[in-house]
Amino acid sequence: MAFLGEFNHQLDDKNRIRIPTPFKEALGSTFYFSKGLDGIINILPVEVVEKQLDKLYSCISEFDEAGQEALFEYTSSIYEVNEDKHGRIRIPDVLVEFAKLEKDLVTIGAGNKLSLMSKAVREERRNKRTHAENMSILNQRLNKG
């Protein structure tokens, strides 16, 4: 299943959120939060994390110091999360700080994952390029090969 769409919601005073309903079933009961690019938190299904790690482990030798350091940095930023009995998920403090989360949040479906960010970051990113410019970039990437 592809994660698609954009949803606004809020962070409570204990750094908890509820995953938007359209995404809950596809995520399953256990999933992961991780650091993404530019202060975004990735929300990843188990299968996506397993696939990414398998690919990374297969191409990074244990003797590749820079590769191992990058792998350590990546894996240390992944946190398994579960809903509490009220359907809330607590975002680890380190990720709240990393993403500079505030009360108002946006979750965006990004294909095989979700992207969580503050509403302010979403607006900033949205204002970088027009929709037409973004579609042109995607078209270029699709026609690259």
Side-chain angles (χ1 to χ4, degrees):
M1 174 182 186
F3 295 104
L4 306 169
E6 180 172 328
F7 297 87
N8 294 304
H9 52 111
Q10 294 188 327
L11 185 69
D12 73 12
D13 58 351
K14 295 181 180 177
N15 293 337
R16 296 176 301 196
I17 62 166
R18 293 181 195 275
I19 297 295
T21 303
F23 300 139
K24 286 179 79 161
E25 186 176 326
L27 273 175
S29 60
T30 299
F31 46 94
Y32 297 92
F33 285 172
S34 74
K35 289 180 182 177
L37 300 175
D38 299 326
I40 291 174
I41 296 173
N42 292 325
I43 304 173
L44 304 156
V46 171
E47 310 82 55
V48 170
V49 171
E50 289 173 350
K51 189 175 182 179
Q52 286 176 348
L53 291 175
D54 285 346
K55 191 172 184 178
L56 288 167
Y57 291 144
S58 72
C59 68
I60 298 173
S61 164
E62 66 181 284
F63 303 107
D64 175 357
E65 186 176 346
Q68 287 294 320
E69 284 299 321
L71 186 59
F72 293 157
E73 190 63 32
Y74 176 65
T75 57
S76 70
S77 77
I78 301 172
Y79 298 85
E80 183 177 321
V81 295
N82 296 285
E83 290 183 334
D84 67 14
K85 63 183 178 183
H86 301 290
R88 300 169 300 199
I89 298 127
R90 187 175 181 289
I91 302 173
D93 293 339
V94 66
L95 294 179
V96 171
E97 292 170 24
F98 167 78
K100 298 180 177 85
L101 295 183
E102 300 167 352
K103 185 172 183 154
D104 293 321
L105 305 176
V106 177
T107 297
I108 298 172
N112 67 349
K113 65 182 177 187
L114 300 171
S115 294
L116 174 68
M117 64 197 80
S118 71
K119 189 173 183 179
V121 166
R122 176 62 178 136
E123 291 303 318
E124 181 182 308
R125 293 175 70 88
R126 182 178 277 136
N127 291 328
K128 281 185 179 180
R129 290 182 206 88
T130 66
H131 181 74
E133 290 169 329
N134 284 321
M135 295 305 102
S136 177
I137 290 168
L138 291 177
N139 186 49
Q140 289 171 7
R141 300 301 191 271
L142 283 171
N143 294 311
K144 210 174 193 179

